Amino acid sequence: MMTLTTILATVTMYTARETCKDGLHSNCITASGEPPNSGMSAACPRRLKFGTIFFYEGRMFICLDRTAKKYDGRFDLYSGSFDEAIRFGKKENKEITILSL
C-alpha cells in the first residue's frame, strides 16, 4: 500500500564539485553507491531508506545520499552547479511529501 506523508523540514542544496575526482560529477558516488543526478538526487535524513522518493515544490527527488549527522533531519538536494547551490541557500519549515511503499 502506498502512503504519502507530509512533514516540515529544512531544505538545502549541495554540490560535490570540489570533491569529485577530476571535477566530474559522473565520478562521484553517493552513500548508496550511485552517482548523483542533478535536480533529482538528495541527501536525506538517516531514518529514510535509500531509494525513498519524496516531493518538494512539485518536483520528485530520490534519497541516494546521507546528510552529515549534525544535519540529520534536513533534506539536501543535489545540484551540479556550485552557484545554484549557493543561491538556493537554506529554507526552513518547507513541506516535504514522502512516498512510502
Side-chain angles (χ1 to χ4, degrees), residues 1-99:
M1 178 176 166
M2 268 191 328
T3 59
L4 295 175
T5 304
T6 300
I7 62 169
L8 294 178
T10 297
V11 181
T12 54
M13 186 173 281
Y14 77 107
T15 187
R17 181 185 77 169
E18 300 298 324
T19 58
C20 292
K21 183 179 177 181
D22 301 326
L24 301 174
H25 299 285
S26 60
N27 291 327
C28 294
I29 299 297
T30 62
S32 68
E34 298 293 323
N37 187 332
S38 190
M40 193 168 125
S41 302
C44 296
R46 296 169 185 278
R47 65 182 173 82
L48 297 178
K49 295 177 186 175
F50 290 131
T52 297
I53 295 171
F54 71 92
F55 300 89
Y56 170 69
E57 293 190 344
R59 292 177 54 200
M60 183 182 84
F61 294 89
I62 301 173
C63 295
L64 293 179
D65 214 345
R66 292 284 177 242
T67 56
K69 284 185 181 181
K70 68 181 182 179
Y71 299 120
D72 198 26
R74 77 171 51 175
F75 290 78
D76 206 10
L77 313 178
Y78 179 79
S79 173
S81 166
F82 178 79
D83 292 335
E84 180 184 19
I86 294 298
R87 279 192 308 272
F88 187 88
K90 178 180 176 184
K91 301 177 185 329
E92 296 182 6
N93 295 312
K94 294 302 203 174
E95 283 191 6
I96 299 288
T97 301
I98 302 167
L99 174 63

